[in-house]
Amino acid sequence: SMEARGIIVSKIEALKHDAVLKFETLKTTVQSFKVNALDKINTSKEEVLKKMETLKREVVATMNSLKKNALLKMEELKVNALEKVSELKVKAANLTRRVKTLGKAFVAEAMNRTVLYRQRAYGLVMEAYNITRRVKTIGKALVTVAMNRTV
């Protein structure tokens, strides 16, 4: 029975040894999984950081492009506004000239009418004067005729 006991003890020792080997192998496998997982996590982190950096650069480039486009558009609008203001100034100057010309025409017409009215008034005054002269002449003639009759 000592012999059986020795066989059992050696079998237990063999199983124990086998279990320790399997446990060590399992530990090594778990450790390699951990290392692989850490590598993958680190690689993923690096890839994510690279992608984020790339996206950041693209966003900055897009923003700069949008800023440039906005500035160009603003400049274009400013130029258009200045052109419109210039056009309006020219139109205003033309209108001012027309108004001045019309004003001068109205003044000239008013002056012509005034001259016509003065000429008419002068004509009426002359006519009245002539009439009074004729009346005086006729009166003198009548007085002369009347005096000749009394003589």
Side-chain angles (χ1 to χ4, degrees):
S1 172
M2 210 43 160
E3 207 174 288
R5 207 171 176 194
I7 292 175
I8 292 175
V9 170
S10 70
K11 279 189 177 181
I12 289 175
E13 287 293 323
L15 286 174
K16 194 175 171 188
H17 180 62
D18 198 35
V20 167
L21 282 177
K22 283 185 179 176
F23 182 74
E24 288 297 321
T25 306
L26 190 62
K27 249 172 77 175
T28 307
T29 307
V30 167
Q31 190 62 33
S32 80
F33 280 150
K34 278 184 184 177
V35 168
N36 285 340
L38 283 174
D39 282 348
K40 283 188 178 179
I41 288 172
N42 287 336
T43 305
S44 296
K45 278 183 185 176
E46 287 174 16
E47 287 175 5
V48 166
L49 287 174
K50 283 179 186 175
K51 284 182 181 176
M52 284 178 61
E53 196 61 37
T54 303
L55 286 173
K56 196 159 102 178
R57 271 189 251 113
E58 288 175 5
V59 166
V60 167
T62 304
M63 287 297 291
N64 287 338
S65 174
L66 289 173
K67 279 182 189 176
K68 284 178 187 173
N69 288 344
L71 287 172
L72 287 173
K73 196 68 175 172
M74 289 288 288
E75 199 60 35
E76 183 181 327
L77 290 173
K78 197 161 101 179
V79 167
N80 288 345
L82 289 173
E83 286 175 2
K84 290 289 181 195
V85 167
S86 296
E87 286 177 23
L88 289 174
K89 280 183 182 177
V90 168
K91 285 181 181 176
N94 288 341
L95 281 175
T96 303
R97 275 189 231 109
R98 281 191 210 141
V99 167
K100 283 181 182 175
T101 304
L102 287 173
K104 286 177 185 176
F106 285 134
V107 167
E109 188 177 336
M111 288 176 67
N112 288 342
R113 284 187 181 173
T114 305
V115 168
L116 285 174
Y117 292 145
R118 281 185 187 162
Q119 287 173 348
R120 283 186 190 155
Y122 180 74
L124 289 173
V125 167
M126 288 306 293
E127 199 174 313
Y129 174 75
N130 287 338
I131 289 172
T132 55
R133 259 182 77 205
R134 275 189 239 133
V135 167
K136 283 183 184 176
T137 307
I138 292 172
K140 284 182 185 176
L142 286 175
V143 168
T144 306
V145 169
M147 288 178 91
N148 286 339
R149 283 193 186 168
T150 54
V151 180

